Amino acid sequence: MQRIINDPDNVVDDAVKGYRRASPDLYAATEHPRVLKFSGETVDKVGVVTGGGSGHEPAFLGYIGEGLCDAVAIGEVFSSPTADAFLEAFRAANRGQGVACLYGNYAGDNMNVKLARQMAEMEGIDVQTVVARDDVASAPADQRDKRRGVAGEIIMWKVGGAAAARGESLDEVIRLAQKAVDACSSIGVGLSSCTIPANGKPNFSIDPGMMELGIGHHGEPGIEVAPLTDADAMASAMCGPILADRTFENGSEVAVLLSGLGATPVMELNLLYSHVADRLDAEGIKVHRTYIGNYFTSLDMMGASLTVVKLDDELKALLDAPCRSLAMTQ
Amino acid sequence: MQRIINDPDNVVDDAVKGYRRASPDLYAATEHPRVLKFSGETVDKVGVVTGGGSGHEPAFLGYIGEGLCDAVAIGEVFSSPTADAFLEAFRAANRGQGVACLYGNYAGDNMNVKLARQMAEMEGIDVQTVVARDDVASAPADQRDKRRGVAGEIIMWKVGGAAAARGESLDEVIRLAQKAVDACSSIGVGLSSCTIPANGKPNFSIDPGMMELGIGHHGEPGIEVAPLTDADAMASAMCGPILADRTFENGSEVAVLLSGLGATPVMELNLLYSHVADRLDAEGIKVHRTYIGNYFTSLDMMGASLTVVKLDDELKALLDAPCRSLAMTQ
């Protein structure tokens, strides 16, 4: 395993230490070693929290900052944070106006957020949740509740974070974060596996010359293993299920988030984007804003995930609002 | 080759198209297909240009923007831009106050910049250059002119770009960019090779369980191939030659740029940083600012490069100035 680590079992704690030392202008410690909070000025507003497994950097810690998340709980690589960690994140983010917990639909996260929320309520902290279910490949449109949350979570944090920053109530932050992630359709394509440091070997396999459409952020099986195509055909394969997932009118406006999965050169993401743009153009869809880069990864997996966000004026204003964090500054 | 491309021979042109489509708020076309210029407001100031081979994304195109570069020429993967491309970048960046061409010390770039500069002078464009030579592994301190330019180039663009943005003269922009890169000492460590799309196979090899200290950004041989250590020892191996390269006093202030080489998870870069910080702490060196992420890569190479920049108040002010680009916004 060619990796930059110490003891493979301590990777997460060692990395958290590094985040804190590298960016004291962003990160402050909390009572829990796997929870960091924003170190900037404390403003009286709704708290925004997320959390999830490690290995998706810059998610989740990279989205702590101004106009984004106030506290983040992380777990082992590809594992949910504990309920205690979520609880500490709620405490760290709470300023008396309640906490919006915006996270992805995975069994462990659902269970631990639920427990943490009960504990927080006993402490008088009002926690409301939005669960991201944007991965179109993980379940059909009529079973949206089974869909996994993937890179659409970033749009949910951005919109929820901007709403909280401008002083909206908890109910309103929740409404807007829910609206944001409901507007997201995402799909991934994997070209290689990835290696969890504590295991030391790839956690699944994709044969050379093949690609897996609809792959999950932890290597969950996709909808099709097919011969590796060129980028043009790959863009079609990714856009197909996304365009079929909701109605786009001629003139619909969208944001496009095209994230590398870890090992894909940014040059190739931009190359792929040009073909995604062709598909959207052909439908008369207007691209309002793009995010192209490594926003939500899966360790050293080769591949990309595409998220298309259908916008209205309300979402556009929140997406365009300024923010500052390790992963996203605008 | 598991990559997101079309024809391997057209990767660069296809990618340039993608950059332009994805970020019209940053990029505008020029007369040359491999030269892009900043699409924002034209301000009367010294033009800042860089250029280099593709495959180092987000360098070089990602540093076009406010407070950074005005025009950038790119070449094939790991190959210099042509003289024509550099010339077109000079034209695109020139607003009558001259052009600072800030690039790295490679034979092809030196030759083509020299030719382009002669052609530009015939057109009445005053071009002055700074050549980055920050890679401590590529030649000893008494042969600095032989050193390659690596990630220290980013510091040179940031400082030169900020100087131009605040209205300094060409002579002053050149002085400050030269001062910035003279203050940089960099070293890379490679844990795997990378694959140039047009070749389709790794361009050199690093055996599993080994690492190459001092590796160049194109896989140029380093100073030592050694068994892969843990991150703590790797930080020592990288900091040693950097700390030996110049005098640091107790209380010296530095900026630290720790860039992934393409396939290294950002989690591991932060983990590695924590040990780099230990080494600097032990010398009484104060870290003023960090840049941790994928700033200057080598396609899908696993590994990292470390740049330590010795600061004074003049450099600090320029490094801290705001900027906006795909690769760096602050």
Side-chain angles (χ1 to χ4, degrees), chain A:
Chain A
M1 181 176 49
Q2 298 297 86
R3 299 297 273 278
I4 304 178
I5 57 174
N6 298 310
D7 181 344
D9 291 324
N10 290 339
V11 168
V12 174
D13 294 323
D14 286 353
V16 170
K17 209 180 299 175
Y19 275 98
R20 279 187 53 205
R21 292 191 78 169
S23 306
D25 58 320
L26 286 172
Y27 301 117
T30 66
E31 298 293 308
H32 195 289
R34 293 194 173 178
V35 178
L36 294 180
K37 64 178 180 185
F38 182 48
S39 62
E41 213 182 329
T42 302
V43 181
D44 195 24
K45 68 174 196 68
V46 168
V48 177
V49 165
T50 190
S54 296
H56 301 296
E57 289 68 29
F60 294 80
L61 291 175
Y63 295 91
I64 288 181
E66 285 170 36
L68 286 161
C69 299
D70 299 292
V72 167
I74 60 165
E76 273 302 312
V77 174
F78 292 1
S79 298
S80 171
T82 62
D84 279 348
F86 274 115
L87 175 60
E88 181 59 25
F90 298 158
R91 289 175 180 145
N94 183 46
R95 294 169 180 90
Q97 299 193 30
V99 171
C101 178
L102 316 176
Y103 71 102
N105 186 31
Y106 296 92
D109 299 282
N110 284 325
M111 186 180 72
N112 291 328
V113 167
K114 189 177 171 188
L115 273 169
R117 193 179 164 187
Q118 289 166 353
M119 294 189 282
E121 272 168 20
M122 290 192 285
E123 298 182 11
I125 305 173
D126 184 9
V127 179
Q128 304 294 328
T129 61
V130 179
V131 187
R133 297 181 167 92
D134 56 306
D135 185 350
V136 301
S138 54
D142 59 356
Q143 296 175 45
R144 266 177 208 271
D145 60 321
K146 293 189 182 155
R147 286 184 173 175
R148 296 183 294 257
V150 285
E153 294 186 42
I154 296 165
I155 303 299
M156 171 175 73
W157 305 329
K158 175 70 188 76
V159 167
R166 76 178 187 202
E168 302 293 350
S169 68
L170 180 56
D171 283 352
E172 188 66 358
V173 170
I174 291 291
R175 179 185 75 78
L176 289 162
Q178 183 74 58
K179 178 176 173 175
V181 77
D182 284 347
C184 292
S185 304
S186 302
I187 194 165
V189 62
L191 276 66
S192 82
S193 182
C194 56
T195 299
I196 299 176
N199 298 353
K201 51 183 200 298
N203 62 338
F204 63 101
S205 76
I206 295 175
D207 290 332
M210 304 299 284
M211 65 181 192
E212 187 157 348
L213 182 68
I215 197 163
H217 267 307
H218 312 91
E220 294 94 335
I223 47 182
E224 190 188 5
V225 177
L228 178 57
T229 63
D230 65 12
D232 195 356
M234 198 184 294
S236 292
M238 295 174 89
C239 287
I242 285 179
L243 293 172
D245 191 48
R246 69 184 71 234
T247 308
F248 292 94
E249 297 83 26
N250 194 317
S252 281
E253 286 191 277
V254 299
V256 178
L257 192 161
L258 186 57
S259 178
L261 294 183
T264 296
V266 169
M267 178 171 69
E268 297 176 24
L269 297 176
N270 279 280
L271 190 160
L272 179 60
Y273 175 76
S274 132
H275 300 296
V276 169
D278 287 340
R279 299 300 169 286
L280 300 178
D281 274 0
E283 303 291 323
I285 296 169
K286 279 181 57 183
V287 178
H288 171 69
R289 176 181 274 280
T290 64
Y291 296 99
I292 318 281
N294 288 300
Y295 286 96
F296 204 121
T297 64
S298 299
L299 294 167
D300 54 335
M301 199 187 291
M302 192 75 84
S305 83
L306 172 66
T307 300
V308 176
V309 196
K310 192 174 175 185
L311 298 174
D312 62 9
D313 288 344
E314 190 170 53
L315 290 178
K316 259 166 46 179
L318 291 160
L319 211 52
D320 291 347
C323 63
R324 180 176 73 89
S325 71
L326 210 58
M328 189 184 277
T329 297
Q330 65 186 38

Side-chain angles (χ1 to χ4, degrees), chain B residues 82-92 116-117 119-120 123 125:
Chain B
T82 61
D84 279 349
F86 274 116
L87 175 61
E88 180 59 26
F90 297 158
R91 289 174 181 146
R117 194 179 164 187
M119 294 189 281
E123 298 181 12
I125 304 173

Side-chain angles (χ1 to χ4, degrees), chain B residues 63-84:
Chain B
Y63 295 91
I64 287 180
E66 286 170 36
L68 286 161
C69 299
D70 299 292
V72 167
I74 60 166
E76 274 301 312
V77 173
F78 292 1
S79 298
S80 171
T82 61
D84 279 349

Side-chain angles (χ1 to χ4, degrees), chain B residues 285-308:
Chain B
I285 297 170
K286 280 180 59 183
V287 178
H288 172 69
R289 176 181 274 279
T290 64
Y291 297 98
I292 318 282
N294 288 299
Y295 287 95
F296 203 122
T297 65
S298 300
L299 294 167
D300 55 335
M301 200 187 292
M302 191 76 82
S305 83
L306 171 66
T307 300
V308 175

